[in-house]
Amino acid sequence: MPLEPLACVYDPPTDANADWIVRNPRAIFVIDGASSLQGEKIEGLSSAAWLARRLGESLSRFEGGNIEAYLRTELPAIAARAAVPGAGSGEEDPPFCCLIGCIEHEDVIEIVSWGDCQAIAKAGDGSSAELFGFCSVVLLDDAVTEAVYAAKRNGASHQSAFEQSFDQIKANRQRRNVDPGYQILDLRPPYVGIPERRFLDKRLPWRILLTSDGLFRATACYGMTGVEDLAAIERQDELDSLLADMRALESSDPGGDQHHRLKPSDDVAAIVVAFRPDIADG
């Protein structure tokens, strides 16, 4: 198939991971689930892991075309199955998803993004790598992180400082799919936010890294590697090595004193995909 997976990582490799990878003949997606603040489980899984898997099942059936129209049909049915706590009260806080994907169309490859997953695309013509997937939720998270570390400098523990910021976290979560706010895939109307999208020329060969923000921490939080270095990854051992090095760094800094972050570590799902025009045209 024209979209050829080269390497992938999924960590932890258990049901605790709220990220997910979807591959079908026309598209590849990475999903990053976010749990409800109520902390409830659905069918034995965290609400984030449950939603990532249900959305993954749906996307495995996607046959191409308009991804937004497809999701507007699928997400209400998933929401009904989830039985969101507090629905109709105006206070409901269902789980939601970020997503990054590449979809093969007749004449272009579409990169589409909701939330804070990333895609790094490198053309075979020697041009610089392109990074997609900016989300304003990162700015909101950064403000909370700054508040947590300000409280820690005044003597609070990390947990206590985090709890002091909980009201701001709750307020931030009510800004999804509103303006100003951030755009994601939700289990409440309007369900589908406004995506970021780019179109890649199918006359060129491409290598594309799709990743949840968990692996992108290696660049954005830890400064271990740059975008061009990520774009150069094409083998399984290279991706495995990056993940192992990142996990070792996180283990050496569990309190986030050297690298400021709200969570000591995050779930990871990432896949490297190649597109070769000669295969598509042959």
Side-chain angles (χ1 to χ4, degrees), residues 24-225:
N24 75 35
R26 304 295 296 180
I28 297 178
F29 301 98
V30 168
I31 303 167
D32 183 354
S35 288
S36 163
L37 293 178
Q38 280 91 352
E40 78 282 355
K41 290 184 177 292
I42 306 176
E43 299 176 0
L45 298 173
S46 74
S47 58
W50 181 89
L51 175 55
R53 284 149 179 78
R54 299 297 80 76
L55 183 58
E57 289 172 357
S58 170
L59 288 170
S60 70
R61 300 186 296 270
F62 176 65
E63 296 181 350
N66 188 313
I67 184 64
E68 291 166 85
Y70 182 82
L71 290 169
R72 287 193 190 101
T73 299
E74 295 292 305
L75 282 167
I78 296 174
R81 182 174 170 184
V84 173
S89 68
E91 298 297 327
E92 66 266 26
D93 178 57
F96 64 87
C97 277
C98 302
L99 179 146
I100 193 96
C102 58
I103 303 167
E104 185 191 0
H105 299 284
E106 183 176 348
D107 54 349
V108 295
I109 298 170
E110 177 185 3
I111 305 292
V112 62
S113 171
W114 285 270
D116 59 359
C117 296
Q118 285 80 28
I120 300 172
K122 178 80 171 179
D125 61 359
S127 58
S128 299
E130 300 178 65
L131 172 65
F132 308 124
F134 171 78
C135 178
S136 57
V137 70
V138 175
L139 304 179
L140 299 175
D141 285 347
D142 286 348
V144 172
T145 302
E146 291 175 8
V148 166
Y149 279 87
K152 289 178 68 173
R153 287 192 292 271
N154 289 328
S157 68
H158 189 92
Q159 182 62 32
S160 174
F162 181 80
E163 291 171 356
Q164 292 175 35
S165 299
F166 197 67
D167 286 345
Q168 184 58 53
I169 293 170
K170 289 172 62 177
N172 288 351
R173 287 178 64 101
Q174 296 304 317
R175 296 175 67 178
R176 55 201 199 228
N177 292 344
V178 298
D179 187 17
Y182 52 95
Q183 305 296 314
I184 47 82
L185 302 176
D186 205 356
L187 290 187
R188 60 185 184 183
Y191 298 107
V192 180
I194 301 169
E196 177 186 1
R197 54 167 36 98
R198 297 289 187 274
F199 296 99
L200 307 181
D201 188 344
K202 287 180 70 175
R203 294 172 296 180
L204 297 174
W206 292 92
R207 188 168 59 246
I208 306 163
L209 170 66
L210 304 174
T211 179
S212 63
D213 63 332
L215 186 69
F216 196 66
R217 281 184 171 203
T219 296
C221 184
Y222 308 136
M224 298 170 55
T225 187

